[in-house]
Amino acid sequence: MSDLENWWKSLPPVTKWLFTASFATTIAANFGLIPASWLVLDFYRLYRNFEIWRLVTPFIYHGRLGFPFLMNMMFLVRYGSSVEKDCFMNETADYLWMIIIGGLLLLLPGYFVPLPILGISLIMMIIYYWARKNPDIGMSFFFGLRFKAIYLPFVLIGFRILLGGTPISEIFGVLVGHIYYFLVDLVPLTHQRRIISTPQFLKDWFPGPNSRPLRPGEGARQGGYNWGTGVPLGGGRPQ
């Protein structure tokens, strides 16, 4: 049990609780402890019955148990942990704000397509952001396929198609991931002004180690901290 305990303790907080909520909710629904119909995105019931939990549960309910669910959990832990620890330098508030923004954006296709389950979309957003921050890391996939990390989201979409599925959820996850990356990483480089900033109340609730380097367009933080540099998964430098 010590290895499992050490693994659990090694997970950063947002990834840890997002994984826990996703795993527990999906298991509970599949064993009949919670009706699955209570968990999916249903705007009619949301508006008519004020079932506001439906704004959250579609991101932590992943449908039927099986190989895709296990893959989703593996991707969430692996790439979510890397983004939270390496890209956001364990700044819980910043990473949580990324998850919130991604969730809000994904509610749009959730309504218009519609997409009743949004968990894989959120995970694909995380994977896309990780790939953009670590584009040159070497990856390997089934059948010995090798490629750079920048192509990982599209390889996963192709794999979904080969399995006979329709990767609508994955595609919207990539689109939302690109929107976030464009607004947070690219726009500040050209305009030296940040469009998206973490609200102060989140920083107050979840104070981090303040070790993340300043991004373009960010003013100096209060407190006189020394800013370090992080090393993302695979040993490359942050982009």
Side-chain angles (χ1 to χ4, degrees), residues 217-233:
E218 280 186 331
R221 301 180 183 176
Q222 298 178 354
Y225 294 97
N226 293 321
W227 306 102
T229 57
V231 179
L233 185 66

Side-chain angles (χ1 to χ4, degrees), residues 123-144:
I123 293 173
M124 284 297 292
M125 173 200 170
I126 295 171
I127 292 174
Y128 180 86
Y129 189 74
W130 177 86
R132 292 305 300 259
K133 301 294 285 186
N134 303 274
D136 296 323
I137 292 178
M139 307 289 295
S140 61
F141 204 61
F142 293 112
F143 311 114

Side-chain angles (χ1 to χ4, degrees), residues 5-228:
E5 183 179 359
N6 291 335
W7 170 80
W8 173 255
K9 290 181 178 179
S10 71
L11 295 179
V14 177
T15 300
K16 176 186 296 184
W17 295 113
L18 186 57
F19 165 75
T20 302
S22 299
F23 191 85
T25 301
T26 304
I27 292 292
N30 276 269
F31 281 90
L33 302 179
I34 305 174
S37 61
W38 288 7
L39 304 174
V40 298
L41 187 61
D42 187 330
F43 279 94
Y44 177 78
R45 293 185 180 181
L46 172 64
Y47 296 144
R48 186 175 183 85
N49 302 330
F50 201 60
E51 298 177 358
I52 58 174
W53 65 82
R54 293 183 184 273
L55 295 174
V56 176
T57 54
F59 298 101
I60 59 175
Y61 171 59
H62 291 259
R64 295 180 179 179
L65 296 179
F67 181 71
F69 170 67
L70 294 178
M71 291 289 290
N72 291 347
M73 294 300 98
M74 183 190 73
F75 289 150
L76 174 59
V77 170
R78 180 176 180 181
Y79 298 107
S81 295
S82 180
V83 171
E84 188 171 355
K85 291 192 293 187
D86 299 326
C87 300
F88 287 90
M89 301 298 292
N90 287 313
E91 297 291 341
T92 301
D94 291 344
Y95 185 58
L96 179 59
W97 187 234
M98 170 188 165
I99 297 298
I100 292 172
I101 291 173
L104 292 174
L105 291 174
L106 286 170
L107 288 175
L108 294 176
Y111 176 78
F112 288 106
V113 173
L115 297 174
I117 298 176
L118 295 170
I120 183 57
S121 299
L122 186 64
I123 293 173
M124 284 297 292
M125 173 200 170
I126 295 171
I127 292 174
Y128 180 86
Y129 189 74
W130 177 86
R132 292 305 300 259
K133 301 294 285 186
N134 303 274
D136 296 323
I137 292 178
M139 307 289 295
S140 61
F141 204 61
F142 293 112
F143 311 114
L145 177 65
R146 295 185 180 276
F147 52 90
K148 291 186 176 181
I150 189 68
Y151 301 113
L152 176 60
F154 308 102
V155 170
L156 294 177
I157 288 174
F159 184 66
R160 171 73 168 168
I161 294 173
L162 289 176
L163 291 179
T166 304
I168 300 298
S169 297
E170 290 87 345
I171 290 173
F172 277 111
V174 167
L175 289 176
V176 169
H178 183 71
I179 291 172
Y180 180 85
Y181 177 75
F182 177 78
L183 295 177
V184 172
D185 289 78
L186 297 185
V187 170
L189 287 175
T190 57
H191 295 82
Q192 292 299 309
R193 182 173 63 88
R194 298 198 64 78
I195 297 176
I196 298 176
S197 298
T198 305
Q200 187 60 46
F201 75 89
L202 281 181
K203 295 180 181 180
D204 294 337
W205 288 352
F206 305 103
N210 292 290
S211 59
R212 176 174 58 76
L214 287 175
R215 293 168 172 167
E218 280 186 331
R221 301 180 183 176
Q222 298 178 354
Y225 294 97
N226 293 321
W227 306 102

